[in-house]
Amino acid sequence: MFNPDGRLFQVEYAKEAVRKGATSLGMVVKDGVVVVAHKNITEPLAVASTIQKVFKIDSYIGATYSGMVSDGLHIINVARSTSQNHRLIYNETKSIEAIAKEISSYMMQATQYGGMRPYAVSVLIGGFDDSPRLFEIEPGASFLGYKADAIGVGKKIASEILVKEYKENMNTEEAINLGIKIIKKVHEGKLTSENMDIGFIEKTQEYQMLSQNEVSKYL
Amino acid sequence: MFNPDGRLFQVEYAKEAVRKGATSLGMVVKDGVVVVAHKNITEPLAVASTIQKVFKIDSYIGATYSGMVSDGLHIINVARSTSQNHRLIYNETKSIEAIAKEISSYMMQATQYGGMRPYAVSVLIGGFDDSPRLFEIEPGASFLGYKADAIGVGKKIASEILVKEYKENMNTEEAINLGIKIIKKVHEGKLTSENMDIGFIEKTQEYQMLSQNEVSKYL
Amino acid sequence: MFNPDGRLFQVEYAKEAVRKGATSLGMVVKDGVVVVAHKNITEPLAVASTIQKVFKIDSYIGATYSGMVSDGLHIINVARSTSQNHRLIYNETKSIEAIAKEISSYMMQATQYGGMRPYAVSVLIGGFDDSPRLFEIEPGASFLGYKADAIGVGKKIASEILVKEYKENMNTEEAINLGIKIIKKVHEGKLTSENMDIGFIEKTQEYQMLSQNEVSKYL
Amino acid sequence: MFNPDGRLFQVEYAKEAVRKGATSLGMVVKDGVVVVAHKNITEPLAVASTIQKVFKIDSYIGATYSGMVSDGLHIINVARSTSQNHRLIYNETKSIEAIAKEISSYMMQATQYGGMRPYAVSVLIGGFDDSPRLFEIEPGASFLGYKADAIGVGKKIASEILVKEYKENMNTEEAINLGIKIIKKVHEGKLTSENMDIGFIEKTQEYQMLSQNEVSKYL
Amino acid sequence: MFNPDGRLFQVEYAKEAVRKGATSLGMVVKDGVVVVAHKNITEPLAVASTIQKVFKIDSYIGATYSGMVSDGLHIINVARSTSQNHRLIYNETKSIEAIAKEISSYMMQATQYGGMRPYAVSVLIGGFDDSPRLFEIEPGASFLGYKADAIGVGKKIASEILVKEYKENMNTEEAINLGIKIIKKVHEGKLTSENMDIGFIEKTQEYQMLSQNEVSKYL
Amino acid sequence: MFNPDGRLFQVEYAKEAVRKGATSLGMVVKDGVVVVAHKNITEPLAVASTIQKVFKIDSYIGATYSGMVSDGLHIINVARSTSQNHRLIYNETKSIEAIAKEISSYMMQATQYGGMRPYAVSVLIGGFDDSPRLFEIEPGASFLGYKADAIGVGKKIASEILVKEYKENMNTEEAINLGIKIIKKVHEGKLTSENMDIGFIEKTQEYQMLSQNEVSKYL
Amino acid sequence: MFNPDGRLFQVEYAKEAVRKGATSLGMVVKDGVVVVAHKNITEPLAVASTIQKVFKIDSYIGATYSGMVSDGLHIINVARSTSQNHRLIYNETKSIEAIAKEISSYMMQATQYGGMRPYAVSVLIGGFDDSPRLFEIEPGASFLGYKADAIGVGKKIASEILVKEYKENMNTEEAINLGIKIIKKVHEGKLTSENMDIGFIEKTQEYQMLSQNEVSKYL
């Protein structure tokens, strides 16, 4: 399953699937996290709202993904169960880093055994526990924390803009504006509120997703 | 199982099987959903009525499929059990989106493990819960909501007509007429009531399938 | 297991085995069903009566097959158990369509998992429940109802004759005569009563197989 | 496992192994069955009597095989258990056709699943239940009744002679003489009583195998 | 697993391993059996006595093998358990033919299923039950009785000498002398008592193996 | 799974993955062990502190790894459970060598069975039990003790410097300085405290990891 | 798994791995056994004492191995459990030959089933039960007793010297000196006490390993 170069073929190919997925962004802001995700819907009669790209994992934790839709939803479910099981047993929320590690560990299994394929998704999971946190887990199951991060087809362009314009002391509103700016740049087209999922968490504000109306105001 | 391009070979090939299946359509109408399906029967002595392309899933939910017949019937059964199990346990109907997600999750398993093949069907499932709803699930297990959607061999032609002529405030009758017009266009031949399955659901009308007589009136 | 064309290789090859099997016919008649099957026995010392091609499944249900002998007998047994289990539990006969669906579902499993091969048979199952019924299930597990249908090596020739000469209001005797005429045409040789299995069911007549003497009278 | 021609490769190859096995014959006689089998022993110091080619299956049932020795003995054991189990449960002998069907069904399994190979034997099983009966089961698991039949390397030559000289109203002695004549013809060499296994069953005579002395008298 | 010629590739290759093993001989004598085995030890510091080629299976049964050492020891253990289990349950010794059949049946399994390889040994098992008996089982699992038999690298040469010089009414001593003569001929070198295992069984003499001193007297 | 050269292909390829991992070092000092690990973070917005390269295994045991991130974390967990299980059962800490052996044994399983891949990590585990100890376990599962050792992309350069400059009687501070010097040399760039994990254990000092502030003082 | 030549490919390749392992020697002496093993450590900072090449298996039994390190340790553990289990059940030490046979039987399994690889080690196990004993088990699982034997990269050179200079009535000291002489010759370099493991057993002296100081005296 390794190639002579020390890489897992199937993992590399699964990453390629992620590189074609609709772009998602996460940003740590002053006292919270903002997640902005594009829904790449080209069919005029599709109902964008039925594609969800930003998910609540727990009161103060949210997530998004890029890549194969069914795999993405599956991993989001894994994240939710991880968090809920912990809460049921210990009566407290699991730390975001711990959930990210469990997702990583779950996705690693799929790279270890024959007769399975890796999951073709990258996941951004973020929120607020002691401080705002943001993690990316990719098909090879490694995970890494970020101040700001992009996944999917626009990763390269988005990362360049983030490096230049992202600031740690941004507030939620500024981050949302930056996120939208980036998605617009990546897709070079007119964005509608329908094609965007935007969620955020603040120290004093549980996970919340913008309504389409609210998204529209930012466009 | 991934190709270097990040696609699952077997899923791509299964989609090809769907692209050869008889055309099915779904349309969200004012207070309901209409499903129109063609039965591509070329043998003169076959009994068209023994091929069912439109199915009742629950009182207010119906479905159709394009692709491999035996796979289609299997997935329709999965949809029915999902709905019935929920009703048995919770004494309420499951939301259509939730059923679509479970079908997606079921079909995803078949893409994840070696020693199985993906299901070679696309499914349209629709109905009325809080509002009229319509979803497509394809062999790669991703699902998406639509105002109006077509699957099978006529997908391209059908989609073009739908974009031009479908209107959200159509009533059931108008949608049936549009559906028949599209199927006629796709197959360029004389349609008989035998080759069409037409079902609909309205807010105040449980799942109902047109009798052959009723279909004839629309032709 | 799919080829790029969206077909299952092994299923296509299994169909090829069916295309080489001895011809079988089924016809819906006025108030019943007639099944006529050829036994392609070329060895002069073989005992034709030990090959059975037409089987009683239940009081008012019969079946025949073309293709691999051992697979055919296996699927016939599956049909019988299906019918008997139902009768044991519900104290009524299962509808013919329902049995055909269960055979289809059973044969589909063999196309779904690695480590198995598809069944190399097509089955005609017919009888009388509310009305006379006839179904074909093929190696890919799809099933379809027919007024009249042929499987096996003579399918093409037989179908052409059926289209021209079969009439829905035929009686049993006329259908048997047509069936024999077709088998004669297909095999271009002298038929003996030994090489034919003929069974029929009428509304008021349980499954019955003609004795060799009775067959002889029709030749 | 099917080739494009609709055949199972491994079954075809297993048949080739049977075509190389020592010749066995079976003949239905007036009120019984005669089985004559050659033991192809070329090593001068081998003890022919340790190779058994004709076996008692039950009081009125016998069998022989051609092909791979270890597979042959295995299938003979399957035939015996089938018969004995039935007798234990129902206190009667199973019909010969039923045993042949069970052998066929057992051998079919080995053609159905990956990770097994087909059995490389053809079996002749015969005896007296209501009337004298003789069946052949081959590696592809199909079975067929015969008046007279040959398997193994001499099948072609033996069949030609049987067609010309076998008569249904032969008695046991005549059939044994014909069988020996055929084996002599096939092997063009001097036969000894050691190289022949001859068994017979008559309506009023349980399965009996000729002693070497008795065989000698026929040579 | 079969080749087009009807042979099992892996079995043929395993036989090749046997053809390279050190030569073993068995001879039925007047009232017993003699087994003579060569140990092909080329390393000067190896301790020949640690290689055992002739084994006691039961009081009146012995065995030898040629081929892969670890497989040989494994099959010898199978033979011993078979015999002991029988004795434990029935309080009598199993017949030698029955043990040979069970070894054959055991070795056949390894040729039947994928994921295993055949055993790369031929076994000679002999002794006295009603009369002296000698059997060979080979990698393909077929078994055959012999008056006198050789396996391993010297099979061809040994068989030629046996055919000429072996006599059924030999006594134990004469057979040992013949056995040694043959092994000398096969290996064209000086034999020492260390390189020979010689065992024998007589009607009135349980299994006994010659000590090195006794072997020396025969050289 | 072996190549003709006696190597396991997959193990060799997994080693290649290790050769590309960020460099880690371990050094036995006068009364303890020092572990210095580089975090190769090239993305400016990644949060280096979320990558952990140096881990506490038990009060007096620490570890680091180079190679595939998810595999590394998995093996670290294996090390921790090994140590904790032992403590739970025996109420004492397991020796470092014993833990290294269990990791080796665990990683060996993954090289032994088909359907798994080897772990693509090398691990350095060290600490103080009777004396200071340091072990490396690599993808092929062999383990070896070291005075000082490097793994990952900088292994070659690091080893050359260690040979020249490492001294057994160094104290912790001197070893940390040497470690940092080596990592700087390997990566030819400016190191920040963020890109370094440094842990140490002394006879009288439980496992301790330097804070970023403390690391900064050494840079 | 066999090649046409009757060899197991994977076993041949595993032997190649043994041929590259560091050299080990065993010698039967007057009333005991001496085992001398080289540790091929080329890295200057490795701690040779953490590689163990000579192991105590039981009070009067020791062992060494050449080949893959993790496999060697695994098989040593198998040897120890075998001995201890026997002692627990029977309250006596198992004979050395019996342990060697169980190792052989264990290693044979790994050559028999698909989905496993053979163990890439040769093992020398020796000691004193009734007399001094020494056995070699190799990757193909065959085992053989020796007066004196070498395994690993220096097998050829070592064997030639052993043949010339080894004498059965050597005492322990003389054998250790011969062993060291051979290892020096094989490796053509300066040996240190660190690179040698030397163990011995005498009739009146339980298993003992030389300390580095003691080894030094022999160099």
Side-chain angles (χ1 to χ4, degrees), chain B residues 35-55:
Chain B
V35 178
V36 176
H38 182 238
K39 308 180 196 178
N40 188 25
I41 294 167
T42 54
E43 297 168 88
L45 293 171
V47 180
S49 63
T50 58
I51 292 203
Q52 197 178 346
K53 285 286 302 275
V54 171
F55 302 83

Side-chain angles (χ1 to χ4, degrees), chain F residues 2 5 111 114 144-147, chain G residues 10 20 43 45 47 50 117:
Chain F
F2 286 104
D5 205 38
T111 75
L144 183 55
Y146 286 87
K147 293 289 182 208
Chain G
Q10 283 296 305
K20 294 185 171 143
E43 296 167 90
L45 292 172
V47 179
T50 59
R117 57 168 182 83

Side-chain angles (χ1 to χ4, degrees), chain D residues 53 68 72 113 132:
Chain D
K53 285 287 301 276
M68 218 170 116
Y113 299 102

Side-chain angles (χ1 to χ4, degrees), chain E residues 10 13-14 16-17 20 41 43-47 50-52 68-71 73-74 110 115-120, chain G residues 1-6 8 97 104 108 111-114 133 135 140-148 162-163 166:
Chain E
Q10 284 295 304
Y13 297 168
E16 195 57 39
K20 294 184 170 142
I41 293 168
E43 296 168 90
L45 292 172
V47 180
T50 59
I51 292 202
Q52 196 177 347
M68 219 170 116
V69 176
S70 50
D71 284 16
L73 297 179
H74 183 72
M116 287 188 77
R117 58 169 181 82
Y119 290 97
Chain G
M1 296 157 88
F2 285 104
N3 65 14
D5 204 38
L8 293 165
E97 183 165 352
S104 156
M108 178 216 165
T111 74
Q112 174 83 17
Y113 298 103
R133 305 292 221 115
F135 293 92
S142 70
F143 82 100
L144 183 54
Y146 285 88
K147 292 289 181 208
L162 282 173
V163 167
Y166 163 79

Side-chain angles (χ1 to χ4, degrees), chain C residues 41-51 194, chain D residues 144-149:
Chain C
I41 294 168
T42 54
E43 296 168 89
L45 293 172
V47 179
S49 64
T50 59
I51 292 202
E194 278 201 330
Chain D
L144 183 55
Y146 285 88
K147 291 287 180 212
D149 188 27

Side-chain angles (χ1 to χ4, degrees), chain F residues 135-187:
Chain F
F135 293 92
E136 180 192 329
I137 307 107
E138 45 84 70
S142 70
F143 83 100
L144 183 55
Y146 286 87
K147 293 289 182 208
D149 188 27
I151 53 180
V153 68
K155 187 185 181 74
K156 195 155 170 294
I157 296 177
S159 296
E160 286 166 7
I161 303 178
L162 283 173
V163 168
K164 282 190 217 138
E165 307 196 10
Y166 164 79
K167 285 177 188 61
E168 284 190 50
N169 57 355
M170 279 176 158
N171 61 24
T172 300
E173 217 174 286
E174 291 165 335
I176 293 175
N177 276 317
L178 177 56
I180 286 170
K181 181 180 165 184
I182 288 171
I183 301 292
K184 275 183 176 162
K185 185 83 179 186
V186 166
H187 292 286

Side-chain angles (χ1 to χ4, degrees), chain A:
Chain A
M1 296 155 87
F2 285 104
N3 66 14
D5 206 37
R7 295 167 184 231
L8 293 165
F9 276 120
Q10 284 295 305
V11 166
E12 296 304 309
Y13 297 168
K15 285 178 181 169
E16 195 58 37
V18 172
R19 263 174 229 123
K20 294 186 171 140
T23 315
S24 290
L25 305 169
M27 285 170 271
V28 168
V29 295
K30 224 170 115 195
D31 269 321
V33 162
V34 169
V35 177
V36 177
H38 182 237
K39 307 180 196 179
N40 189 24
I41 293 167
T42 54
E43 296 168 88
L45 292 171
V47 180
S49 65
T50 58
I51 292 204
Q52 197 178 346
K53 285 287 301 275
V54 171
F55 302 83
K56 180 180 181 181
I57 303 300
D58 207 324
S59 311
Y60 285 89
I61 312 178
T64 185
Y65 71 86
S66 292
M68 219 169 117
V69 176
S70 50
D71 284 16
L73 296 179
H74 183 72
I75 295 299
I76 291 297
N77 281 340
V78 168
R80 283 175 172 160
S81 332
T82 297
S83 184
Q84 284 160 24
N85 289 344
H86 187 79
R87 187 199 284 277
L88 275 169
I89 302 174
Y90 301 104
N91 206 22
E92 59 175 17
T93 317
K94 211 162 188 178
S95 84
I96 299 154
E97 184 167 351
I99 296 174
K101 272 187 191 162
E102 293 216 14
I103 294 171
S104 157
S105 169
Y106 183 90
M107 287 172 64
M108 179 218 164
Q109 305 291 321
T111 74
Q112 174 83 18
Y113 299 102
M116 286 188 78
R117 57 167 181 83
Y119 290 97
V121 280
S122 284
V123 177
L124 285 180
I125 184 164
F128 194 98
D129 39 32
D130 300 328
S131 66
R133 306 292 220 117
L134 179 68
F135 293 92
E136 180 192 329
I137 306 106
E138 44 84 70
S142 71
F143 82 100
L144 182 55
Y146 286 87
K147 292 290 180 208
D149 188 27
I151 54 180
V153 68
K155 186 183 181 75
K156 195 156 170 292
I157 296 176
S159 297
E160 286 166 8
I161 304 178
L162 282 172
V163 167
K164 282 190 215 137
E165 308 197 10
Y166 165 79
K167 285 177 188 63
E168 284 189 49
N169 57 355
M170 277 175 159
N171 61 24
T172 299
E173 217 174 286
E174 291 165 338
I176 293 174
N177 276 317
L178 176 56
I180 286 170
K181 181 180 165 185
I182 289 170
I183 301 291
K184 274 182 176 163
K185 185 83 180 187
V186 165
H187 292 285
E188 297 185 351
K190 187 167 136 272
L191 276 190
T192 69
S193 63
E194 280 201 329
N195 285 354
M196 299 291 293
D197 264 8
I198 301 181
F200 67 95
I201 291 148
E202 296 178 347
K203 191 176 180 174
T204 54
Q205 165 68 52
E206 287 198 6
Y207 174 88
Q208 198 169 318
M209 220 173 132
L210 297 194
S211 68
Q212 286 207 13
N213 274 346
E214 292 167 319
V215 172
S216 298
K217 290 175 198 158
Y218 283 94
L219 291 181

